[in-house]
Amino acid sequence: MISEPLGRRYELPADVEEARMRAVEQLYLLDSEPEERFAQITRMARAVFQVPMAAVSLLDSERQWFKQTDGLDLDGSVPRAQTVCQATILRGYEHPENPALILEDTWDSEFCELPAICAPGGIRFYAGYPLYGPGGHPVGTFCVYDIEPRRLSSAQLESFVELAAWAQRELQSTDDLQRAATVQRQLLPRAMADLPGYQLCALCLPAFAVGGDFYDHYPVDGGAVFTVADVMGKGLGAAILTATVRSALRGASRAIDRTGDLDLGDAVTATHQQIADDLDRTSSFVTLFHFKLNSADGSTEYVDAGHGFAAIIRCSGAVESLSSDDLPLGVVPECVWQARECHLEPGDTLVVASDGLLDLVDGDGGGDEVRAMMDFVARHPEPADLCAQTRALVRHKPPLDDVTVVAVRRENQT
């Protein structure tokens, strides 16, 4: 094992290590599954340098964890103190202008007693390049290894740096996406604490890191306003548009609520007027179900803009579908949406879901996905139970599309 003095030599100051670990954690990559985008890099490295091993790894406080290995027989991680990469991390701070660490023969280095080097068939050549995370901190390494000593030519060294830059771009992509996912989660509303006489549960589970679904709710005089929307597409592009739709719809709905002489159909129409150019330029459209609940008597005003799935589960167990012929936003430049009405009696539950739930409940491929989803929500009229069962479905069968559910139940009067 590496000697204690040598181990201490590569320790970072406590404040630097603390900041570096925050950068590692912000990547949300530790203990994640292997990904093809990193495997392409390690395969390319083995082919370019004709070496038996290549890896992309992260270093946390105690271990070197391998996001991707090619040719290495490892069980996920090794103790940090038993790695050469701890020196590569330090070099990233001390020599940022030339951070590559090249050991042409590890037996002639201070690392010669490391288990991975002194063991039969161990590593005799090491080339490592630090990878940087948020704040510019070295968080991991891109490495190639050989069981024979060797020297990189100037052309090979240039290729090594270019492959490291490729790995860096993939880490940066991960960082940007996870930041976007964090912001999108933060834009979801907090649990509504004050809606007497009603139970409420809502969830939004993106199929990928970020998604095109969202839900919203907020209190208004006499009740609350709710929205479930689905922007065409997936990923970061759709996520950007969801923020635009949410903001525009909130503003229009609140403005119209203050006037008192317009309805939710006018709010959706005004929202479309605000964002129509954006939807046209991005060739996108938005389906949504937008409703306002009067908590005193259960009367509900709603707009269904091509959304397609909303239903009331009556206290008797019957399921009443809510729908309309109105189009999604962004399909026709000049369009007007109409408000409709329904009523929640004590014991009734209003459920609105996105189409991502269809694939989860129609597991037998029977073809009538809407009927299958109706049956599913009818079996779970309690909002908390419905959300819990939906989460269980997602765990069992990872969705191909975003899954969003909002359920509001009027409690039985006592």
Side-chain angles (χ1 to χ4, degrees):
M1 180 176 289
I2 193 168
S3 65
E4 188 62 24
L6 184 57
R8 287 199 300 267
R9 184 180 307 174
Y10 295 106
E11 290 180 356
L12 296 169
D15 58 337
V16 175
E17 177 63 11
E18 181 180 359
R20 194 192 72 82
M21 278 304 304
R22 282 200 300 271
V24 173
E25 292 163 359
Q26 287 173 349
L27 292 174
Y28 298 95
L29 276 178
L30 282 174
D31 299 309
S32 62
E33 294 296 320
E35 297 181 59
E36 177 62 21
R37 60 195 179 110
F38 291 106
Q40 290 176 349
I41 301 171
T42 54
R43 286 198 302 267
M44 180 69 73
R46 290 183 65 185
V48 168
F49 303 111
Q50 294 295 295
V51 294
M53 297 167 283
V56 174
S57 66
L58 297 176
L59 271 78
D60 71 9
S61 58
E62 301 292 337
R63 59 179 175 150
Q64 178 180 9
W65 174 80
F66 292 89
K67 173 63 178 174
Q68 187 67 49
T69 62
D70 207 324
L72 285 166
D73 184 16
L74 291 172
D75 187 23
S77 66
V78 296
R80 178 172 168 175
Q82 296 181 13
T83 69
V84 181
C85 288
Q86 61 176 331
T88 306
I89 293 292
L90 180 61
R91 186 174 177 86
Y93 286 106
E94 295 183 340
H95 301 282
E97 76 290 346
N98 182 28
L101 178 61
I102 311 293
L103 302 179
E104 296 178 350
D105 188 347
T106 58
W107 286 7
D108 292 334
S109 74
E110 59 189 338
F111 302 101
C112 60
E113 295 182 3
L114 290 179
I117 292 173
C118 64
I123 295 169
R124 291 291 300 273
F125 169 82
Y126 169 93
Y129 201 98
L131 303 175
Y132 299 88
H137 292 281
V139 293
T141 58
F142 164 67
C143 298
V144 296
Y145 314 90
D146 203 344
I147 59 174
E148 300 290 340
R150 62 180 299 160
R151 175 175 298 177
L152 295 182
S153 67
S154 58
Q156 287 176 320
L157 182 58
E158 183 177 346
S159 297
F160 176 66
V161 173
E162 288 177 352
L163 284 172
W166 182 5
Q168 179 64 57
R169 287 192 296 273
E170 294 299 337
L171 278 190
Q172 185 65 44
S173 173
T174 298
D175 180 33
D176 290 344
L177 199 60
Q178 292 298 339
R179 287 173 184 267
T182 298
V183 171
Q184 190 172 52
R185 287 193 298 270
Q186 291 171 340
L187 287 177
L188 293 175
R190 294 184 176 90
M192 190 176 294
D194 188 20
L195 194 62
Y198 292 83
Q199 300 174 29
L200 167 65
C201 192
L203 60 81
C204 183
L205 305 174
F208 301 98
V210 293
D213 279 12
F214 76 89
Y215 71 83
D216 195 17
H217 55 66
Y218 52 88
V220 295
D221 290 342
V225 172
F226 301 82
T227 308
V228 172
D230 184 356
V231 176
M232 183 189 71
K234 305 176 182 67
L236 195 54
I240 292 171
L241 285 175
T242 64
T244 301
V245 176
R246 172 186 178 275
S247 178
L249 186 57
R250 266 203 176 201
S253 296
R254 283 175 163 168
I256 285 175
D257 187 62
R258 287 193 294 268
T259 66
D261 57 353
L262 299 173
D263 61 25
L264 288 190
D266 298 305
V268 173
T269 300
T271 299
H272 183 251
Q273 291 170 349
Q274 292 183 58
I275 66 174
D277 288 344
D278 293 338
L279 296 177
D280 181 58
R281 285 196 297 268
T282 57
S283 299
S284 295
F285 63 85
V286 182
T287 69
L288 63 84
F289 192 94
H290 187 55
F291 68 99
K292 180 180 177 180
L293 170 69
N294 184 323
S295 58
D297 62 5
S299 60
T300 303
E301 180 185 21
Y302 71 90
V303 175
D304 185 337
H307 189 71
F309 184 80
I312 296 177
I313 309 170
R314 297 297 182 185
C315 60
S316 64
V319 180
E320 180 181 318
S321 179
L322 303 177
S323 62
S324 76
D325 296 327
D326 288 348
L327 295 172
L329 282 65
V331 174
V332 176
E334 299 296 332
C335 197
V336 175
W337 283 265
Q338 178 182 350
R340 291 168 168 78
E341 294 181 352
C342 62
H343 193 270
L344 289 182
E345 300 289 348
D348 291 349
T349 302
L350 174 56
V351 178
V352 187
S354 67
D355 57 5
L357 188 56
L358 290 172
D359 294 331
L360 298 179
V361 299
D362 190 39
D364 60 359
D368 191 353
E369 296 93 344
V370 173
R371 171 48 54 191
M373 190 149 68
M374 291 285 194
D375 293 342
F376 174 73
V377 300
R379 292 195 301 272
H380 308 289
E382 294 287 341
D385 180 49
L386 177 61
C387 288
Q389 295 298 325
T390 301
R391 291 184 183 278
L393 286 177
V394 170
R395 286 194 297 269
H396 176 71
K397 180 182 178 183
L400 300 175
D401 201 357
D402 308 326
V403 177
T404 301
V405 175
V406 169
V408 182
R409 180 177 177 85
R410 187 179 180 188
E411 296 177 335
N412 284 306
Q413 295 174 334
T414 56

